[in-house]
């Protein structure tokens, strides 16, 4: 008698937990019922991301690098051997090494014309909404999520609409990678339903729109304008520093020197 | 005790104004074809200073065309040559510094002490500093391949007309862009003198175009065929611009409003802190986006600080902006005065205790006496909305954690001040504040090498330093 495989129920990765959509809805994709995330799921995810933000931002850059590297290790062991997984792992390794270089590359001491210690250093912008491309489903997601996490932000990502299964599996990889609950949240569903609650959310600070969809761009930008969110539109070829820049805030501190 | 001071007025002779200033398009001063000519007035006296041509939509389009025509040539210029033009501008600003300071004060109402010692020197310093970046861009961009965006449209506010023009133009030109700059409706004169300087510096025609105008000219400029928009002004207008550019792919940086917290701990040098509070809120009559308008005092020293602050406020000299001893000048416009009055009335209505300095204000012009609000609740309009006037609201806190929480409890995140003699505490609090600039034991310090800009609804992008260059280029990808 042949063995029956254990069918997997795919779930959202939200606040460090694997949950069904609050709406109870699913969409059949590739013969599997995939959770169809709702407005409430987005709200829950942003709330979790906001709650996790101070802790993640406060970790040392060294520690964040270790966690991202651990993510790479965990993904490597789940790799299907394809180029896509290999590239995704390599990207995680690359950004793991960015965490403690950002300040040196983007900031520094400002030689002001007065007796002050003035320096500028990058800080995370806060909660980042990621609209991942439809494909490549895994690499496309990692490419946008890794810089946001490396810069110390927490993330709410809408994964590939056409092939959400492998991206949702990344939650399981993240979950064993010491990424604290709430730092990375993965939601599947329909973009037309999720765009407004996510990009219009007052507690989201920046949006990475990697959909390459012109019809989405105008809507995203208009929603962003309500609370002056930063919007970036990286292409697959955008270099890593150009990805990182819109996800940090440069803070300049001044302190008198001498009397 | 009442002190009388002999007047010490700066002479107006060093700044002869022309009867009329035209639009500067394509390297020439030209009359508006569909715009109008309006008077610009001295807010301290309501006297007409000069006639100024305001651009209509057609004039704005002509300016953008001129900038477009000049773009390729300017971008192709060897970088050191581009830099040399900027050095020339810096030098000419220094040469005409006295004239610029006087006009800045006449047109805007700020004390001559400030326009002379802050606005004009800093404007020259920005051109000087960015001139030197022109041939060092590959270092600023960490080796990334880059190119100018093309034509940039820049809209600047009325509070620092010359300085904001310098902040905007210097990095745009250094990176190889051409520009159309629109100065503010009420304070166009120094930007138009800057146009004369640019003409004198021999910049190629069309590289810089300066068109005065009202909000409709600004709206026309940001909606025109420019490659990047840079705006400094109110958050409300900034949101409109972000919306207007939605889906266009054009570059955008916004320097918007603020409601900055100035936090005084019990272990601060209080007399020094009081000077910093004064500097934070009465500099330029509080017409400063990063003004320290929310004063947070640690409960144990609140009474003492308020007593010292009030004593200091009573000695502020309010009046003739051209007088070298004036501390607080005129409110920039009748419209701004009305806004201040409206918010202050709301503060009183909502139960805060108002104290305004009993100074004699001139009969002509727009004036507002330095004002302090006590018993302010965090939700009061005066504690939440940007007043942009010489009005400070005081609240108290008990612990550093509470101070940080209150300071961060704002939609804005532009700047903050921290006053303490404990260095570790100063840096710890600074690191927790969600603000783009944190001044520790000082306030309102600016420098072309130091990045300036906000978190949250105070806008995005930075001006100053290498960070100020990035928004003006496109990185190859």
């Amino acid at each position: 008698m042949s063995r029956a495989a254990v069918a997997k129920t795919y779930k959202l990765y939200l606040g460090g937990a694997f949950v069904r959509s609050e709406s109870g809805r699913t969409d059949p994709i590739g013969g599997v019922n995939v959770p169809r995330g709702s407005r409430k799921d987005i709200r829950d995810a942003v709330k979790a991301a906001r709650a996790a933000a101070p802790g993640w931002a406060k970790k040392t850059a060294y520690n964040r690098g270790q966690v991202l590297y651990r993510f790479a290790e965990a993904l490597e062991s789940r790799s299907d051997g394809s180029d896509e997984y290999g590239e995704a792992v390599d990207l995680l390794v690359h950004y793991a090494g960015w965490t403690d270089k950002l300040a040196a590359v983007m900031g520094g001491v400002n030689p002001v014309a007065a007796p002050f210690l003035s320096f500028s250093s990058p800080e995370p912008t806060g909660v980042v909404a990621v609209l991942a491309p439809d494909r490549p489903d895994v690499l496309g997601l990692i490419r946008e999520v890794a810089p946001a996490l490396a810069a110390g932000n927490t993330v709410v990502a809408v994964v590939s609409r056409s092939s959400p299964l492998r991206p949702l599996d990344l939650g399981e990889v993240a979950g064993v990678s010491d990424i604290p609950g709430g730092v990375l949240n993965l939601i599947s569903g329909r973009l037309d339903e999720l765009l407004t609650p996510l990009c219009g959310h007052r507690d989201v600070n920046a949006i990475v729109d990697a959909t390459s969809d012109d019809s989405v761009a105008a809507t995203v930008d208009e929603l962003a304008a309500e609370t002056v969110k930063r919007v970036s539109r990286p292409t697959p070829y955008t270099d890593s520093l150009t990805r990182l820049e819109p996800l940090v805030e440069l803070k300049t501190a001044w302190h008198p020197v001498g009397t | 005790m009442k002190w009388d001071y002999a007047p010490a007025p700066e002479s107006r002779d060093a700044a002869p104004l022309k009867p009329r200033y035209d639009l500067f398009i394509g390297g020439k001063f030209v009359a508006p074809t569909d715009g109008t000519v309006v008077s610009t007035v001295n807010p301290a006296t309501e006297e007409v200073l000069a006639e100024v041509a305001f651009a209509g939509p057609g004039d704005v389009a002509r300016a953008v065309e001129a900038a477009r025509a000049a773009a390729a040539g300017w971008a192709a210029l060897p970088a050191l040559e581009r830099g040399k033009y900027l050095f020339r501008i810096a030098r000419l600003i220094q040469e005409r510094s006295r004239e610029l300071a006087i006009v800045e004060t006449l047109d805007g109402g700020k004390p001559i002490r400030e326009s002379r010692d802050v606005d004009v020197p800093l404007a020259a310093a920005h051109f000087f500093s960015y001139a030197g970046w022109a041939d060092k861009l590959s270092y600023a961009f960490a080796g990334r391949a880059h190119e100018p965006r093309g034509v940039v449209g820049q809209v600047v506010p009325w509070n620092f007309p010359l300085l904001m023009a310098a902040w905007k133009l210097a990095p745009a030109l250094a990176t190889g862009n051409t520009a159309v700059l629109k100065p503010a409706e009420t304070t166009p004169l120094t930007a138009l003198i800057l146009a004369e300087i640019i003409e004198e510096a021999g910049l190629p025609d069309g590289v810089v175009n300066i068109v005065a105008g009202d909000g409709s000219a600004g709206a026309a400029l940001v909606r025109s065929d420019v490659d990047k928009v840079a705006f400094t002004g109110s958050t409300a207008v900034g949101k409109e611009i972000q919306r207007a550019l939605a889906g266009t792919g054009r570059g955008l940086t916004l320097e918007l409003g603020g409601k900055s917290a100035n936090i005084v701990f019990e272990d601060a040098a209080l007399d020094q802190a009081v000077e910093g509070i004064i500097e934070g809120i009465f500099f330029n009559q509080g017409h400063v986006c990063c003004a320290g308008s929310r004063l947070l005092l640690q409960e144990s020293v609140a009474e003492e600080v308020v007593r010292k602050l009030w004593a200091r406020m009573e000695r502020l000299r309010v009046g003739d902006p051209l007088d070298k001893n004036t501390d607080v000048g005129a409110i920039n416009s009748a419209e701004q005065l009305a806004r201040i009055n409206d918010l202050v009335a709301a503060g009183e209505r909502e139960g805060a205790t108002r104290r305004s300095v009993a100074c004699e204000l001139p009969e002509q012009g727009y004036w507002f006496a330095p004002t302090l609000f006590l018993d302010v609740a965090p939700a009061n309009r005066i504690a939440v909305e940007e007043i942009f006037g010489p009005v400070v609201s005081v609240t108290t806190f008990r612990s550093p954690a509470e101070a940080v929480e209150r300071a961060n409890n704002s939609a804005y995140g532009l700047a903050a001040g921290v006053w303490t003699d404990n260095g570790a505490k100063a840096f710890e609090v600074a690191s927790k504040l969600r603000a783009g600039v944190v001044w520790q034991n000082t306030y309102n310090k600016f420098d072309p090498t130091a990045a300036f800009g906000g978190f949250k609804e105070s806008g995005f992008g930075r001006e100053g330093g290498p960070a100020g260059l990035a928004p003006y280029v496109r990185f190859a990808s």
Side-chain angles (χ1 to χ4, degrees):
Chain A
M1 197 171 87
S2 65
R3 182 183 167 273
V6 176
K8 178 170 174 178
T9 299
Y10 280 85
K11 293 185 180 177
L12 309 175
Y13 182 51
L14 213 158
F18 298 91
V19 297
R20 293 189 171 86
S21 168
E22 155 282 338
S23 67
R25 303 174 304 175
T26 55
D27 277 327
I29 298 174
V32 177
N33 292 319
V34 179
R36 182 171 150 196
S38 69
R39 170 178 295 268
K40 176 69 161 56
D41 294 324
I42 291 282
R43 281 210 303 270
D44 290 346
V46 173
K47 197 173 169 190
R50 173 56 62 195
W56 182 242
K58 208 173 74 178
K59 284 189 185 302
T60 63
Y62 180 44
N63 188 215
R64 277 203 306 273
Q66 296 272 304
V67 171
L68 282 177
Y69 188 79
R70 174 99 183 114
F71 196 168
E73 287 177 343
L75 188 57
E76 179 79 59
S77 69
R78 290 222 178 186
S79 171
D80 60 6
S82 67
D83 287 351
E84 186 187 342
Y85 269 82
E87 208 179 313
V89 170
D90 289 356
L91 266 178
L92 284 169
V93 173
H94 173 75
Y95 283 104
W98 256 118
T99 55
D100 62 348
K101 320 293 183 297
L102 265 180
V105 174
M106 297 182 66
V109 172
N110 310 312
V112 298
F116 292 93
L117 168 62
S118 172
F119 59 93
S120 299
S121 50
E123 293 188 358
T125 192
V127 175
V128 174
V130 168
L131 307 175
D134 277 326
R135 59 181 55 86
D137 52 16
V138 168
L139 178 58
L141 178 66
I142 291 291
R143 197 183 268 142
E144 310 310 336
V145 161
L149 296 178
N153 301 286
T154 58
V155 171
V156 176
V158 178
V159 304
S160 170
R161 276 64 62 192
S162 54
S163 39
L165 301 185
R166 298 194 308 167
L168 286 179
D169 276 343
L170 286 180
E172 297 172 12
V173 181
V176 297
S177 305
D178 303 326
I179 292 180
V183 167
L184 176 64
N185 303 275
L186 303 173
I187 292 188
S188 54
R190 302 180 185 181
L191 210 50
D192 59 348
E193 290 180 353
L194 302 178
L195 215 52
T196 302
L198 181 56
C199 299
H201 199 295
R202 301 193 70 81
D203 221 6
V204 169
N205 300 94
I207 301 167
V208 178
D209 171 11
T211 60
S212 307
D213 185 339
D214 290 345
S215 67
V216 166
T219 311
V220 167
D221 287 353
E222 274 167 34
L223 290 164
E226 287 167 24
T227 53
V228 199
K229 291 179 179 64
R230 295 83 175 111
V231 181
S232 63
R233 272 198 182 87
T235 74
Y237 309 103
T238 303
D239 69 273
S240 51
L241 189 55
T242 308
R243 283 174 194 280
L244 288 160
E245 267 172 353
L247 304 180
V248 301
E249 301 289 351
L250 208 56
K251 178 187 278 178
T252 300
W254 292 67
H255 198 284
V257 171
T259 50
Chain B
M1 187 197 288
K2 172 105 170 67
W3 288 80
D4 286 322
Y5 295 86
E10 170 62 282
S11 164
R12 283 180 63 165
D13 297 345
L17 284 169
K18 292 177 184 166
R20 169 167 162 171
Y21 290 83
D22 270 319
L23 308 170
F24 185 65
I25 297 176
K28 290 170 200 63
F29 286 94
V30 296
T33 50
D34 61 343
T36 51
V37 176
V38 301
S39 303
T40 188
V41 301
N42 179 346
T45 60
E46 296 176 60
E47 144 207 26
V48 171
L49 294 168
E51 302 290 316
V52 176
F54 269 21
D59 300 309
V60 170
R62 269 198 300 161
V64 173
E65 277 165 34
R68 179 69 64 196
W74 180 249
L77 212 58
L80 183 68
E81 298 302 306
R82 225 164 47 221
K84 279 155 70 180
Y85 285 106
L86 296 190
F87 279 122
R88 279 192 202 170
I89 297 172
R91 278 296 198 235
L92 287 167
I93 290 173
Q94 290 170 335
E95 283 172 22
R96 293 175 71 172
S97 60
R98 187 163 173 207
E99 172 194 358
L100 284 164
I102 294 166
V103 175
E104 196 73 318
T105 284
L106 285 173
D107 206 20
K110 64 175 62 189
I112 186 77
R113 190 166 55 80
E114 294 176 4
S115 48
R116 182 194 63 198
D117 298 348
V118 180
D119 296 66
V120 177
L122 267 179
H126 274 80
F127 277 106
F128 199 91
S129 186
Y130 276 106
W133 270 122
D135 59 347
K136 300 167 194 71
L137 296 177
S138 61
Y139 301 100
F141 301 139
R144 283 177 289 175
H146 56 87
E147 56 181 29
R149 284 188 171 266
V151 176
V152 301
Q154 309 182 310
V155 178
V156 297
W158 47 259
N159 54 342
F160 294 94
L162 178 69
L163 182 57
M164 291 299 110
W167 280 30
K168 292 274 185 288
L169 288 173
L173 298 177
T175 43
N177 298 277
T178 59
V180 177
L181 175 90
K182 191 202 81 74
E185 189 173 351
T186 60
T187 57
L189 291 181
T190 44
L192 292 166
I193 295 176
L194 183 62
E196 294 176 7
I197 285 173
I198 283 161
E199 191 181 34
E200 197 181 339
L203 258 74
D205 292 348
V207 169
V208 175
N209 305 273
I210 300 185
V211 291
D214 58 16
S216 68
L221 179 55
V222 303
R223 285 165 180 77
S224 71
D225 179 32
V226 292
D227 303 295
K228 183 222 156 35
V229 171
F231 172 76
T232 295
S234 73
T235 291
V237 175
K239 289 179 179 180
E240 264 179 52
I241 293 172
Q242 193 175 1
R243 223 169 271 132
L245 294 189
T248 63
R250 292 190 178 126
L252 175 65
T253 44
L254 300 171
E255 294 290 348
L256 308 178
K259 191 75 191 174
S260 298
N262 204 356
I263 306 167
V264 182
F265 288 99
E266 60 190 0
D267 54 7
L270 294 185
D271 290 315
Q272 197 188 340
V274 165
E275 287 309 308
I277 297 164
I278 295 280
E279 174 75 13
I281 188 62
F282 300 118
F283 176 60
N284 197 11
Q285 296 76 244
H287 300 334
V288 186
C289 51
C290 49
S293 54
R294 283 189 294 148
L295 180 59
L296 305 185
L297 301 176
Q298 193 152 21
E299 220 171 72
S300 49
V301 292
E303 269 181 42
E304 187 183 354
V305 172
V306 167
R307 193 173 64 245
K308 285 171 183 275
L309 175 60
W310 181 250
R312 181 67 178 82
M313 282 173 65
E314 286 192 306
R315 279 163 181 73
L316 287 171
R317 302 193 62 200
V318 185
D320 182 8
L322 270 183
D323 191 312
K324 291 166 192 161
N325 291 324
T326 290
D327 297 309
V328 178
I331 300 303
N332 187 267
S333 64
E335 188 190 0
Q336 183 56 26
L337 180 57
R339 176 170 168 74
I340 297 169
N341 276 319
D342 174 52
L343 277 162
V344 164
E348 289 183 292
R349 243 188 347 263
E350 289 176 4
T353 307
R354 173 184 176 174
R355 275 204 222 169
S356 288
V357 171
C359 52
E360 279 174 35
L361 299 177
E363 283 180 11
Q364 290 292 306
Y366 318 123
W367 302 92
F368 197 88
T371 294
L372 175 72
F373 269 106
L374 300 171
D375 311 314
V376 180
N380 287 167
R381 276 183 73 194
I382 51 166
V384 175
E385 293 180 38
E386 188 173 35
I387 298 177
F388 230 61
V391 182
V392 60
S393 67
V394 182
T395 52
T396 59
F397 66 89
R398 288 185 179 172
S399 65
E402 190 190 354
V404 167
E405 193 189 325
R406 282 187 179 234
N408 287 341
N409 183 19
S410 167
Y412 296 113
L414 189 50
V418 179
W419 298 85
T420 167
D421 258 4
N422 180 331
K425 182 155 72 185
F427 282 103
E428 193 205 355
V429 170
S431 74
K432 287 179 176 164
L433 291 170
R434 301 276 297 153
V437 184
V438 181
W439 288 293
Q440 301 167 23
N441 293 329
T442 185
Y443 208 94
N444 272 343
K445 292 289 182 288
F446 310 94
D447 192 276
T449 65
F452 180 91
F455 283 39
K456 300 193 276 185
E457 292 192 26
S458 290
F460 46 74
R462 292 292 181 271
E463 291 178 302
L469 293 162
Y472 288 101
V473 299
R474 230 187 295 270
F475 296 112
S477 65

